[in-house]
Amino acid sequence: MKILYYILCIAVLTNIMSCKKYVQVEDPKDQLVSSSIFVNDATATAAMVGIYSDMNAFNYQFANVITTFMCAMSADEFTYASTLANFDEFKNNAVTPGNSYVGIMWSQPYGFIYRANAVIEGATASNTLSSGVKNQLLGEARFVRAFCHFYLINFFGDVPLILNTDVLKNTNLPRTASKDVYAAVIADLVEAKKLLVAAYPGGAERTRPNKTAASLLLARAYLYTGNNALAEQEANEVISSSGYSLLNNPDVTNAANMTKAFLKNSSEAVWQLQVVNTANGRNTWEGNTIVPTAAPFYRLTRGALGLESGFEPGDKRFSNWVGSYTTTAFPPVTYYYPFKYKVRVGIAGSAPTEYAMVLRFAEAYLIRAEARAQQGNFAGAKADLDIIRSRAGLAPLVTASSLTVAMAQVEQERRVELFAEWGHRWFDLKRWKSTSGAAGKTRADDVLSQTKTGWKSTAILFPIPSEAMRTNPNMVQNPGYN
């Protein structure tokens, strides 16, 4: 595996200026992971928050643009106005093991997992940390480990499960069955919920996970593994938590406040990554990359089956979260692009106004709606979807008469609510069974085969990167890539 480089070379404590954006600590110089880091609360906390800082320090990384963009292109959300070999592979669902982006999607999560394991081991062994900080760090580290394993499963299927810092052993681990990795993800999140508190640590900003973040990710993990009763239960906890709400004006036909959903510390934010690199007035990497200055490079998919046509008439998500650019050519052409983040560059030297959204409150309603539908509670599913629709200025749904109808309603709302966010659409198409009833087929087969030439069912998993195959003799490639 290509984690050896990260294990040997990455210090847990990153540049202190980045860490201070998350919590004020004294500079621990250039120490590597060691027991001395976990002697006092400040340096131990820096070990944890340094992970979040590195997640968002540079563009086109696992924890910002790559996951959202590559998954959106692999699905049916947006494309781009050029020919780029690495991008083309995702757009055409023909990713090769040597693709540099798929390499990042593998190696960076494992790097963060290693660092989370180092925090777990160091904090557990320490007898000098205050109990509150110790529990907080153990909870956050388990959350990060679960988060990264969750994404690795959904990118690649069976993946090595890494639960310690034993470099020599972990480098040659075989792939672990997805069901067992999911079990570890769920166990980590259950424990994280016990250790974390409702208040966000380090101040009022929502940039370090709290109990609600663990509950929301746990609800998602339960939903993905078919445990719908527990998914509903966890979603209930999130929805009933104080401090969260869908941004809306009292008049539901006026959804102007939706434009504020992605501001830093908005009431919809359950977990965000704070801006680290603010050069030239930059806010989020997502906004800096996708908001155009002329004709947009990234564009919603077109045609009857494209996302551009996927919104109902009057849906305020289209008017608030989709931008447009009309050319001066004759006849003019209008292109649409994701516009959830509004800031390409702000005023140099001014504080950022937007943070990268990782977990958002609206997902809890969508999880509960799907879980309820799967349990036959179609009226309950409709009630949750109607809350999302009401904020978007849309009329209530008709109560579904069957699971097929209910799931079609869920799919529509998830598609237009969560577009261009952390691969939701791609993961949904892969995890849902085909409506045709064909054995072994998924919704990806139903949907993507209609618009993508050469679509193959094996494309629902990305290939194991070449470097992982080369360095780990026990690694086995995914079907369709040999």
Side-chain angles (χ1 to χ4, degrees):
M1 291 189 312
K2 196 182 176 183
I3 65 170
L4 186 58
Y5 173 83
Y6 286 90
I7 291 175
L8 295 177
C9 298
I10 295 181
V12 162
L13 301 180
T14 56
N15 184 288
I16 194 63
M17 294 306 294
S18 297
C19 291
K20 281 192 175 181
K21 291 177 178 295
Y22 285 86
V23 62
Q24 293 294 324
V25 298
E26 292 300 314
D27 187 350
K29 310 304 180 186
D30 58 354
Q31 299 169 4
L32 295 178
V33 181
S34 69
S35 58
S36 63
I37 297 296
F38 299 95
V39 169
N40 66 71
D41 290 353
T43 54
T45 299
M48 190 67 234
V49 301
I51 297 175
Y52 310 133
S53 178
D54 279 359
M55 278 184 166
N56 206 32
F58 301 101
N59 202 0
Y60 283 93
Q61 304 299 297
F62 152 71
N64 50 53
V65 168
I66 285 181
T67 292
T68 291
F69 286 30
M70 301 308 139
C71 290
M73 289 188 283
S74 296
D76 57 353
E77 293 187 304
F78 61 81
T79 185
Y80 56 95
S82 184
T83 301
L84 299 172
N86 279 347
F87 280 19
D88 288 346
E89 291 183 6
F90 287 94
K91 180 183 69 174
N92 298 326
N93 301 105
V95 182
T96 60
N99 187 294
S100 62
Y101 293 125
V102 82
I104 291 172
M105 295 165 87
W106 174 276
S107 61
Q108 286 190 352
Y110 275 121
F112 297 132
I113 287 169
Y114 172 77
R115 294 168 68 177
N117 285 336
V119 172
I120 292 170
E121 292 172 7
T124 299
S126 175
N127 57 14
T128 56
L129 295 177
S130 66
S131 60
V133 168
K134 186 172 187 174
N135 286 342
Q136 179 67 37
L137 297 181
L138 288 171
E140 288 186 61
R142 283 183 174 271
F143 175 92
V144 168
R145 185 168 72 180
F147 179 82
C148 291
H149 275 128
F150 173 89
Y151 274 88
L152 285 164
I153 299 166
N154 282 281
F155 291 153
F156 302 105
D158 298 347
V159 294
L161 177 64
I162 308 295
L163 299 176
N164 56 59
T165 59
D166 188 333
V167 179
L168 296 180
K169 176 183 176 182
N170 292 339
T171 300
N172 294 315
L173 279 181
R175 300 173 69 174
T176 304
S178 293
K179 65 180 181 61
D180 295 325
V181 182
Y182 262 122
V185 167
I186 289 169
D188 269 344
L189 292 171
V190 168
E191 185 62 20
K193 274 191 64 184
K194 296 176 182 177
L195 293 164
L196 297 172
V197 297
Y200 285 94
E205 298 207 326
R206 303 180 179 200
T207 53
R208 292 172 60 191
N210 67 343
K211 182 187 289 289
T212 305
S215 193
L216 181 52
L217 187 58
L218 181 57
R220 190 195 298 178
Y222 281 138
L223 186 75
Y224 277 36
T225 53
N227 197 329
N228 295 298
L230 287 179
E232 180 179 4
Q233 177 180 307
E234 292 297 327
N236 281 337
E237 288 194 30
V238 175
I239 292 167
S240 63
S241 299
S242 62
Y244 305 95
S245 63
L246 298 178
L247 285 168
N248 196 4
N249 287 335
D251 177 4
V252 297
T253 63
N254 181 351
N257 279 0
M258 289 174 64
T259 62
K260 301 178 181 178
F262 293 82
L263 295 180
K264 65 180 182 181
N265 308 314
S266 84
S267 65
E268 294 204 31
V270 176
W271 180 39
Q272 296 178 307
L273 288 174
Q274 192 181 64
V275 176
V276 175
N277 192 331
T278 59
N280 302 315
R282 185 185 300 109
N283 279 211
T284 66
W285 289 112
E286 291 84 354
N288 185 253
T289 303
I290 210 166
V291 176
T293 57
F297 182 76
Y298 296 99
R299 303 166 178 180
L300 298 192
T301 50
R302 313 200 86 157
L305 300 177
L307 181 57
E308 186 179 305
S309 305
F311 295 83
E312 295 175 48
D315 192 327
K316 301 299 183 182
R317 287 167 291 200
F318 188 84
S319 57
N320 283 277
W321 290 348
V322 175
S324 65
Y325 176 89
T326 301
T327 68
T328 58
F330 185 81
V333 178
T334 299
Y335 297 105
Y336 296 93
Y337 58 91
F339 196 41
K340 288 180 170 178
Y341 297 100
K342 310 299 183 185
V343 180
R344 180 181 178 88
V345 291
I347 301 173
S350 62
T353 58
E354 295 179 337
Y355 285 170
M357 187 76 75
V358 187
L359 296 176
R360 189 158 65 85
F361 183 59
E363 186 188 354
Y365 287 104
L366 294 169
I367 288 173
R368 193 169 70 175
E370 183 176 344
R372 285 174 165 177
Q374 289 292 338
Q375 296 174 89
N377 181 2
F378 302 146
K382 164 187 151 52
D384 282 332
L385 295 178
D386 282 347
I387 290 171
I388 299 292
R389 290 173 60 83
S390 175
R391 189 267 286 274
L394 297 177
L397 293 166
V398 174
T399 302
S401 57
S402 67
L403 179 59
T404 300
V405 174
M407 284 303 298
Q409 293 173 340
V410 167
E411 180 177 345
Q412 169 63 15
E413 293 308 313
R414 287 185 66 89
R415 185 187 189 193
V416 295
E417 178 70 29
L418 299 175
F419 74 94
E421 290 185 54
W422 278 91
H424 282 287
R425 174 64 171 171
W426 175 236
F427 293 171
D428 287 347
L429 292 177
K430 285 148 39 80
R431 68 185 176 88
W432 288 328
K433 293 180 180 179
S434 168
T435 56
S436 70
K441 297 293 185 180
T442 66
R443 276 296 285 161
D445 292 298
D446 298 344
V447 173
L448 302 183
S449 63
Q450 298 184 64
T451 58
K452 301 198 178 191
T453 59
W455 166 260
K456 296 180 181 179
S457 296
T458 53
I460 61 172
L461 296 178
F462 297 141
I464 304 299
S466 298
E467 185 69 7
M469 294 297 299
R470 183 184 68 81
T471 57
N472 184 351
N474 297 314
M475 188 60 59
V476 177
Q477 184 57 270
N478 275 326
Y481 297 103
N482 291 314

